[in-house]
Amino acid sequence: MTEQKTVVLGVTGCIAAYKACEVLRGLQKAGYQVKVIMTKHATEFVGPTTFHALSQFPVGVEMFDEAGDPVPHITRAKEADLFLIAPATANMIAKLAHGIADDLLSSTALACTAPLMIAPAMNEHMWHDTATQDNMRTLRARGVQVVGPATGYLACGDHGDGKLAEVDEIVAAACEALERQLDLAGKNVVITAGPTYEAIDPVRFIGNRSSGKSGYALAREAQLRGAKVTLVAGPTSLEDPYGIEVRHVTSANEMLEATREPFAAADIAIFTAAVADFRPESVAEGKIKKGGKDRLELELVPNPDILKTLAADKGDTFVVGYAAETQNVLQYAKGKLVSKNADLIVANDVSGTLGFGSADNKVWLVSQEGVVELDVMSKEALASAILDAIMDTIDATR
Ligand code: PMT
């Protein structure tokens, strides 16, 4: 019989604390054991007895009041398969971001090596405050999983962002994290992401609208599934994900050189980057002046095709290319599967609002076995679906 997994549920001082009871129940129904730690402020909203009765385990509040255990924060930290803090106040988020451990809950979070998930809940202005947003960026970059917050009526009477996510959403996210397989453990994965910029002069370049979101989402998902990930990224405004080696580059030539070494060691290589196909033949030394010109011609020369160059000598590496098309999507994607020597092409139609810079995308997975159409979904969910497809193909063919 497999051992029952444990969720350590942290509850902080917020009107939404009562919803943590439903989260606890949802997790139990899904088959998990839940042990609760509350902050002192949380006990002003719901009594520890409620959580004790529901969970059937004593509830931790104080650092030093657990009979017979001088280090309850270490004990609880070791028990967790998932550390979930719901609701998480702005204060707790700030403590997590800065490693402050001044009560049982924050100390346990610091001592815990299990994945951390938080469901923020607070007043809209507290949520949008620069300090909270900076702290959230820090936590996201470290790989902390975040559920919500939602938008709606808040306890203070305001309407806006900061409402605790729906209980079902929190429970579903926690269950997914608990069941996430480490199917990429021991695998090296290299991912190219974002645009390339090809200099015209010291201040101008040829580029495109790729945000890097798709590649970064794949990198995070691969890391969560146990892979050692190298991300070769063109210019983006995204934070470097914690624990992932990021090689920052600007041009296609730089991207090719930065990808060679991780590609040689890679089990899986995914080319999401929108690489400029051409670059100016020469880069002007100084800023090009308008002068009296009524016309300016730029001579462009082809850039190396990074995917095609590396995949020509791919050995056992499983190679995934992308195809960004505005017409005949599947036909062109099938052509790229062959011409670029890829094992899988992720095709997207970039003629509308999806693809470049969007939060969601719709893709078709094109391989020698056929075409699989996926629904529109977030780039995070897509990353998971694409890695599932890669692992299924590897398992079936190797
Ligand atoms: O970054 P986001 O905002 O999330 O946007 C995602 C995306 C739209 C950039 C992504 O979904 C996508 O379609 N990426 C590929 C963009 C592209 O350049 O497609 P392509 O059809 O021109 O290239 C085909 C493949 O060859 C791609 O894997 C590309 O990385 C690779 N390539 C292309 C040209 C080149 N010189 N070198 C390459 O490696």
Side-chain angles (χ1 to χ4, degrees):
M1 203 180 91
T2 51
E3 216 181 294
Q4 196 181 25
K5 289 187 178 167
T6 299
V7 179
V8 172
L9 175 61
V11 185
T12 65
C14 157
I15 188 74
Y18 73 95
K19 291 197 180 165
C21 301
E22 295 172 46
V23 171
L24 187 158
R25 273 288 187 230
L27 290 167
Q28 284 176 329
K29 276 189 201 146
Y32 303 108
Q33 174 170 271
V34 184
K35 297 189 176 182
V36 177
I37 301 175
M38 303 176 77
T39 62
K40 264 196 221 155
H41 286 162
T43 65
E44 299 285 332
F45 295 90
V46 185
T49 315
T50 305
F51 286 109
H52 188 165
L54 290 173
S55 69
Q56 294 172 20
F57 291 102
V59 173
V61 179
E62 300 287 352
M63 280 296 285
F64 302 108
D65 70 353
E66 242 175 74
D69 187 353
V71 284
H73 59 301
I74 306 294
T75 310
R76 280 279 185 271
K78 283 184 182 163
E79 287 172 334
D81 293 290
L82 177 72
F83 200 110
L84 169 65
I85 304 183
T89 55
N91 183 44
M92 182 52 63
I93 288 168
K95 288 198 216 181
L96 294 171
H98 295 279
I100 294 171
D102 63 354
D103 62 7
L104 183 62
L105 181 52
S106 53
S107 303
T108 311
L110 198 59
C112 188
T113 55
L116 173 61
M117 179 177 283
I118 62 171
M122 65 197 75
N123 165 272
E124 180 182 30
H125 300 300
M126 293 172 84
W127 171 248
H128 284 296
D129 187 89
T130 311
T132 305
Q133 289 303 310
D134 282 351
N135 291 332
M136 286 302 301
R137 257 189 295 282
T138 302
L139 294 181
R140 282 201 175 94
R142 282 183 203 153
V144 173
Q145 297 166 74
V146 181
V147 190
T151 304
Y153 281 102
L154 306 170
C156 53
D158 289 352
H159 185 276
D161 301 332
K163 193 174 148 70
L164 185 73
E166 292 298 328
V167 168
D168 288 351
E169 196 187 336
I170 298 170
V171 171
C175 293
E176 199 190 313
L178 282 154
E179 296 314 314
R180 196 188 302 275
Q181 292 173 24
L182 291 176
D183 55 350
L184 271 77
K187 298 221 180 293
N188 291 317
V189 177
V190 62
I191 297 168
T192 68
T196 64
Y197 287 178
E198 311 298 331
I200 297 170
D201 67 14
V203 295
R204 302 183 179 95
F205 58 83
I206 296 173
N208 61 68
R209 297 179 201 283
S210 168
S211 62
K213 282 179 200 163
S214 301
Y216 276 60
L218 276 161
R220 276 202 203 91
E221 177 67 18
Q223 184 200 31
L224 285 170
R225 288 163 76 151
K228 180 176 174 298
V229 181
T230 307
L231 185 59
V232 184
T236 82
S237 59
L238 302 175
E239 296 263 328
D240 285 359
Y242 186 75
I244 291 179
E245 182 193 342
V246 185
R247 299 182 171 202
H248 291 282
V249 298
T250 303
S251 66
N253 273 320
E254 287 173 17
M255 187 172 272
L256 172 61
E257 291 316 313
T259 311
R260 279 187 198 280
E261 183 205 301
F263 182 86
D267 300 287
I268 299 168
I270 310 176
F271 294 83
T272 68
V275 184
D277 286 323
F278 292 90
R279 68 176 185 280
E281 186 170 31
S282 59
V283 181
E285 261 181 38
K287 184 182 167 202
I288 299 173
K289 304 300 281 179
K290 195 157 61 178
K293 299 184 195 98
D294 59 1
R295 196 180 162 82
L296 176 69
E297 288 190 4
L298 287 175
E299 285 287 339
L300 302 180
V301 292
N303 265 329
D305 188 315
I306 301 168
L307 162 54
K308 195 171 175 178
T309 306
L310 298 177
D313 192 15
K314 68 180 181 183
D316 285 339
T317 306
F318 190 90
V319 172
V320 182
Y322 270 61
E325 310 295 349
T326 53
Q327 55 200 336
N328 304 328
V329 177
L330 295 183
Q331 186 193 328
Y332 287 138
K334 285 175 189 164
K336 283 176 182 170
L337 183 71
V338 178
S339 69
K340 304 213 182 205
N341 198 24
D343 297 291
L344 179 72
I345 290 285
V346 179
N348 50 174
D349 182 343
V350 293
S351 61
T353 53
L354 294 177
F356 285 85
S358 56
D360 298 342
N361 203 0
K362 173 175 179 61
V363 305
W364 289 260
L365 304 179
V366 180
S367 68
Q368 294 296 357
E369 280 67 49
V371 176
V372 176
E373 180 176 357
L374 299 184
D375 292 334
V376 176
M377 59 183 101
S378 72
K379 286 180 176 171
E380 288 74 22
L382 264 181
S384 169
I386 290 166
L387 285 172
D388 284 348
I390 292 171
M391 293 312 290
D392 285 350
T393 314
I394 290 177
D395 289 346
T397 56
R398 296 185 179 175

